[in-house]
Every structure is written in C-alpha cells, then in structure tokens.
C-alpha cells in the first residue's frame, strides 16, 4: 500500500503468528466456583512491522510501529 500521493513511500505486506490456549473446569458443585484459565502470546516471533499507515502525513512519518511480543495470562472464577 502506498503512503503518499506520489507513491514514493509504501508499506510491505507482513504476517504475524500468535498462540492462545485455555482451560475450563466444567464440573462445579453448588457454592464452589467454576474456574477458567487462559494464556495468549501475540507476535510469537517478535517481528517488527508497521501497525498503522498514515496516508499523506505532513511530516513524512507514514508508519507507526506495532506492538512487540506480548504475553497475557488470566483467570476467571464464576460462582453458581
């Protein structure tokens, strides 16, 4: 994709990979919580790429970097 009207700056294509896994305990008795655990890893290979393209930016800064590798984990308790 070209970043300006003169087509002198462009953005290359890219691909990123991520992982997402979770576990949920299905059985629950009255009064005890139902637990769910999850983990997510974005940008698995820690690739540098343009996350945003600003077309015709006046300062010539057409590209904004995307986030690097990111790990998120979580837990949830649902009371019945």
């Amino acid at each position: 994709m070209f970043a300006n009207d003169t087509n002198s700056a462009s953005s290359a294509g890219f691909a990123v990979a991520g992982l997402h896994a979770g576990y949920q305990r299905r059985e629950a008795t009255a009064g005890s919580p139902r637990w769910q655990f999850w983990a997510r890893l974005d940008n698995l290979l820690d690739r540098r790429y343009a996350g945003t393209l600003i077309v015709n930016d006046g300062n010539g800064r057409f590209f904004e970097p995307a986030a690097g590798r990111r790990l998120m984990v979580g837990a949830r308790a649902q009371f019945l």
Side-chain angles (χ1 to χ4, degrees), residues 3-4 8-10 52-64:
N4 57 10
S8 61
S10 63
T52 306
L53 172 67
I54 303 169
V55 178
N56 288 327
D57 182 66
N59 295 322
R61 296 179 296 195
F62 304 113
F63 310 103
E64 293 179 342

Side-chain angles (χ1 to χ4, degrees), residues 19-46:
L19 296 173
H20 185 197
Y23 170 77
Q24 179 176 345
R25 185 176 171 186
R26 297 222 179 253
E27 67 276 350
T29 59
S32 68
R34 179 183 300 169
W35 288 96
Q36 180 182 21
F37 302 96
W38 58 271
R40 176 176 164 176
L41 180 61
D42 293 330
N43 199 357
L44 180 65
L45 302 175
D46 200 21

